[in-house]
Amino acid sequence: MTAIADVLGKIWTLPNTIAGLLIGFFALAFGARAEISNNAIVFSRVRFLHRAFTLGNVIFNPRETFSGHCPTYHSVAQYRRCGDAAVLEYVELARHEEAHTYQYQVLGPLFLPVYALTQILPSPTPFERAADIYAKTGTGWWPTGLTNRHRP
Ligand SMILES: [Zn+2]
């Protein structure tokens, strides 16, 4: 992503980021910590969440620090089918959420409605699969297909 595209994307998704900052400032009053990391303002120790969540260039993290790993959506779907925990594959949580910030910069205010529509698809949905690919490889944060379910 070029510098100009990056700035334009951040402006385009600013409504999401502002909403995120409002929630983040609220969370600060309840013990959250803020830092700049992974293309976002990250609020960690957000205790009213059970999992990380991205809103524009804001990431909410329920954990103590913005580190650690999370299972890929693809491996969780496999695990649900077979019940064997050995199939679970983990990626860096921060890189996964960072991918969502780039996705937001492309779709801006359209991201949440489009993301919501993808929830009717089987897991992993395109945005989550792309975020896992980015977390694993450092590239491929944009979903490239709806039917390519067996991509890593
Ligand atoms: Zn995700």
Side-chain angles (χ1 to χ4, degrees), residues 68-122:
H69 294 77
C70 57
T72 65
Y73 280 73
H74 178 71
S75 73
V76 169
Q78 276 185 307
Y79 172 68
R80 286 194 182 126
R81 281 193 297 271
C82 72
D84 181 0
V87 300
L88 289 172
E89 179 185 21
Y90 291 84
V91 292
E92 213 180 304
L93 172 69
R95 299 285 283 175
H96 176 101
E97 296 304 322
E98 179 184 321
H100 289 314
T101 68
Y102 296 126
Q103 294 166 352
Y104 268 101
Q105 286 180 215
V106 171
L107 288 177
L110 305 175
F111 180 85
L112 286 175
V114 172
Y115 182 91
L117 280 176
T118 66
Q119 295 308 299
I120 62 170
L121 298 169

Side-chain angles (χ1 to χ4, degrees), residues 109-145:
L110 305 175
F111 180 85
L112 286 175
V114 172
Y115 182 91
L117 280 176
T118 66
Q119 295 308 299
I120 62 170
L121 298 169
S123 183
T125 60
F127 290 104
E128 296 301 347
R129 186 179 61 236
D132 282 337
I133 290 168
Y134 179 77
K136 278 169 64 173
T137 67
T139 185
W141 51 263
W142 183 251
T144 52

